[in-house]
Amino acid sequence: MGFLSKFQNGKQAPLVTPEGRISDSSGVSRLHGKMHGMYDDSPLPRLTMRSFLMGILVSMGGFIFGYDTGQISGFLAMEDFLRRFGQYNAQTNKYYFSNVRAGLIVGLLSIGTLIGALIGAPIADKFGRKPSISFWCIIFIVGMIVQMAAENKWYQIMMGRWVAGLGVGALSLLVPMYQAETAPRHIRGALISTYQLFITIGIFLASCINFGTEKRQNSGSWRIPMGIGFLWALILGFGILLFPETPRQDFRNGRVAEAKKTMETVYGVSDNHWSVHHELAEIKAKLDAETTSDGFFVEWYRMFFGPRMAYRIALGMGLQCMQQLTGANYFFYYGTTIFQSTGINNSFVTQMILNGINFGTTFYGLYIIEHYGRRKSLIAGSTWMFICFMIFASIGHFSLDRNHPANTPSAGRAMIVFASLFIFGFATTWGPMIWTIAGELYPSRYRAKAMALSTASNWFWNFMLAFFTPFIVQDIDFRYGYVFAGCNVVGGLLIYFFVIEGQGRTLEEIDTMYITHVTPWKSSKYVVPSDDLGLTNTGSKHGGAVEAGPDVAATTAEKSHGDMGPGE
């Protein structure tokens, strides 16, 4: 018998749900607070202080990215930044950024992030998630120093952003992964989504600081906002040292006691609580099913031939691509420039308002991801953003006087309204939830490497949009919005046909559902069979209470590492 079953005397165990309810095989649910066998069945706390602090501190990685994104939009319109790093037009007696130079300054961060995400994976597997986060904070700080030391060489700014991008890219991989591997299942979606929340806070704060410094006629207009960015990296780099390694990383490296202790702390339960023993049993079943790890390149190769891994890798990369193609960064990178073209007197104020909406509405996204689930929320978000971009693009192309926007003030105001409505839709759905799904898609063995590829996809398309947007807008003006509208339709279809609902499930259950080809649009009601987890359970959707089967690894090993080709 498995290591849990000996405590159950052969009896079927009741289900422990995240809400602290117990359900027996008859389907009757009731509140409980008693001891079941030798395990504590008391209700789970909805949120513990440790989980809350983890969500706040680790998500500073998102803050770093958001702050950098928000400040560069404003820098491109600051007089001192233009005078030092722009090009001089003798006819207008003004400085400006060509499309190529603006695209490289904005976009080189994304090239760095793409590389950082890819090389961050093996480093995280080798040295652990926690020390890797501190290391990449140092790399980000080096990039900031290179930028702040620039006097009049625009390519020094560009290369400094590339170096900083290495750190941002690795953190964009490590933060959702750390939260996915540590957070209690019933709040995992909300905790991972705090990464996106902190991106929005960073963007908003950067726009506020830009507004406060943009009238300075010296380098303080851009060096002050840039220098403040050091603070966020220092908070994360040192703060993460106060937290433990993720329980799944500890378990994989033989530190079972440390893994169990961490889970007890984030769940806020005693050392013999049923939920902790249940989840450890699932982790053990999946780990036992794995073959011995091979060399670095062999592991990358084998990953694509793992159980349905090629399918999931393609899905993860597609979702991250579509997050960029929703069009959100069209506003975040070039918002100040966009609203100058609509005739707004102070486009810094408009950008600050939009970023404030982005920040404030993301809180609602943390609620709906656990209340309505991933699939329904994302499909609704795609529909909402499609409508907003269709109207935004139509007004911009057909109603706005683009040569003299002051002649059509109502069109400019209407565009700001629909830009705000679009950002509401993005901030509550596709902004935070794609990071959650990326953290849930893959098994523990391949999670770092597969997430690296999906995150690299995000940054690749981030660069493509950052670099080519000025050229595209120059040719087709606001009709560019129709492209994003179409992409939002594709994104909604991608969610409907391919993404499995992960609300309330453990990472191991989600892995099993992909392996067994669960129909995505029926996945929210799917019951994981006990044999598929190598455990005996009550057949619950949440899989809350289980026993280890007679051979906890046998069934899973056969399913997970049989002769299955890519996507099977």
Side-chain angles (χ1 to χ4, degrees), residues 373-453:
R374 285 75 160 145
R375 286 174 50 83
K376 290 180 181 178
S377 301
L378 287 167
I379 292 171
S382 294
T383 304
W384 179 278
M385 292 186 291
F386 163 76
I387 295 171
C388 290
F389 250 126
M390 288 295 292
I391 298 174
F392 177 89
S394 298
I395 295 174
H397 180 69
F398 295 108
S399 299
L400 181 72
D401 185 341
R402 292 183 298 281
N403 295 321
H404 302 92
N407 295 336
T408 52
S410 59
R413 287 192 292 269
M415 291 178 72
I416 292 175
V417 169
F418 281 97
S420 301
L421 291 173
F422 166 86
I423 289 174
F424 167 78
F426 177 81
T428 54
T429 57
W430 277 78
M433 293 183 193
I434 295 303
W435 295 107
T436 299
I437 292 175
E440 297 175 339
L441 265 177
Y442 312 109
S444 181
R445 177 177 184 174
Y446 300 124
R447 184 170 295 120
K449 292 181 280 291
M451 283 186 67
L453 291 176

Side-chain angles (χ1 to χ4, degrees), residues 30-280:
R30 64 188 185 279
L31 285 173
H32 69 292
K34 63 177 184 177
M35 301 291 289
H36 179 79
M38 294 185 65
Y39 287 132
D40 179 5
D41 274 350
S42 59
L44 296 175
R46 186 65 182 174
L47 177 67
T48 65
M49 181 56 68
R50 191 70 173 185
S51 296
F52 175 77
L53 292 176
M54 180 189 73
I56 297 297
L57 188 279
V58 180
S59 294
M60 288 301 297
F63 194 104
I64 291 170
F65 166 48
Y67 187 81
D68 192 89
T69 299
Q71 66 181 9
I72 194 62
S73 174
F75 289 173
L76 295 178
M78 291 181 178
E79 290 186 15
D80 186 79
F81 196 83
L82 275 165
R83 187 165 56 248
R84 288 172 181 268
F85 307 114
Q87 296 150 282
Y88 180 68
N89 187 325
Q91 294 181 342
T92 62
N93 195 32
K94 291 182 179 180
Y95 288 89
Y96 72 102
F97 281 110
S98 67
N99 289 337
V100 172
R101 188 171 295 191
L104 287 173
I105 289 176
V106 173
L108 255 288
L109 177 92
S110 302
I111 295 296
T113 53
L114 189 156
I115 298 171
L118 290 174
I119 64 179
I123 292 175
D125 280 343
K126 176 71 173 177
F127 299 101
R129 282 52 164 150
K130 185 174 82 166
S132 296
I133 289 175
S134 294
F135 170 75
W136 290 109
C137 286
I138 295 173
I139 298 300
F140 173 79
I141 289 174
V142 171
M144 296 294 290
I145 292 173
V146 172
Q147 292 178 73
M148 289 192 68
E151 288 294 336
N152 51 26
K153 302 292 191 251
W154 72 272
Y155 47 82
Q156 184 173 341
I157 293 288
M158 179 187 73
M159 292 309 299
R161 284 180 59 76
W162 179 80
V163 174
L166 295 174
V168 171
L171 291 174
S172 70
L173 161 73
L174 291 166
V175 169
M177 183 163 56
Y178 184 98
Q179 292 170 324
E181 293 186 345
T182 307
R185 76 181 102 169
H186 55 284
I187 57 171
R188 184 180 62 244
L191 281 184
I192 299 176
S193 295
T194 57
Y195 173 71
Q196 177 67 23
L197 172 65
F198 271 67
I199 291 177
T200 66
I201 297 174
I203 294 173
F204 174 62
L205 184 60
S207 63
C208 292
I209 295 175
N210 280 348
F211 176 70
T213 63
E214 56 102 5
K215 294 189 182 300
R216 298 175 68 98
Q217 298 303 306
N218 54 33
S219 65
S221 60
W222 55 274
R223 280 195 170 116
I224 290 174
M226 194 177 288
I228 294 174
F230 282 96
L231 178 62
W232 324 130
L234 291 173
I235 291 174
L236 176 59
F238 285 105
I240 192 64
L241 300 178
L242 303 177
F243 286 79
E245 184 55 88
T246 73
R248 285 167 174 83
Q249 178 73 4
D250 275 338
F251 202 102
R252 292 184 62 82
N253 288 278
R255 299 186 293 269
V256 179
E258 289 87 341
K260 184 172 181 289
K261 181 64 177 175
T262 300
M263 294 180 70
E264 292 165 6
T265 303
V266 297
Y267 269 103
V269 296
S270 62
D271 61 359
N272 68 330
H273 197 280
W274 185 255
S275 293
V276 172
H277 283 273
H278 156 233
E279 199 154 336
L280 285 172

Side-chain angles (χ1 to χ4, degrees), residues 421-486:
L421 291 173
F422 166 86
I423 289 174
F424 167 78
F426 177 81
T428 54
T429 57
W430 277 78
M433 293 183 193
I434 295 303
W435 295 107
T436 299
I437 292 175
E440 297 175 339
L441 265 177
Y442 312 109
S444 181
R445 177 177 184 174
Y446 300 124
R447 184 170 295 120
K449 292 181 280 291
M451 283 186 67
L453 291 176
S454 68
T455 305
S457 171
N458 183 294
W459 291 117
F460 171 77
W461 287 100
N462 187 300
F463 168 75
M464 295 293 283
L465 289 172
F467 183 79
F468 288 108
T469 287
F471 300 98
I472 297 172
V473 170
Q474 181 177 309
D475 287 340
I476 64 174
D477 59 74
F478 289 103
R479 286 175 292 180
Y480 194 23
Y482 294 135
V483 176
F484 294 126

Side-chain angles (χ1 to χ4, degrees), residues 287-309:
L287 183 61
D288 287 347
E290 295 178 1
T291 57
T292 304
S293 178
D294 298 304
F296 174 78
F297 294 104
V298 176
E299 275 289 289
W300 274 90
Y301 172 78
R302 287 187 57 146
M303 175 177 68
F304 289 92
F305 294 92
R308 254 200 146 193
M309 281 302 298

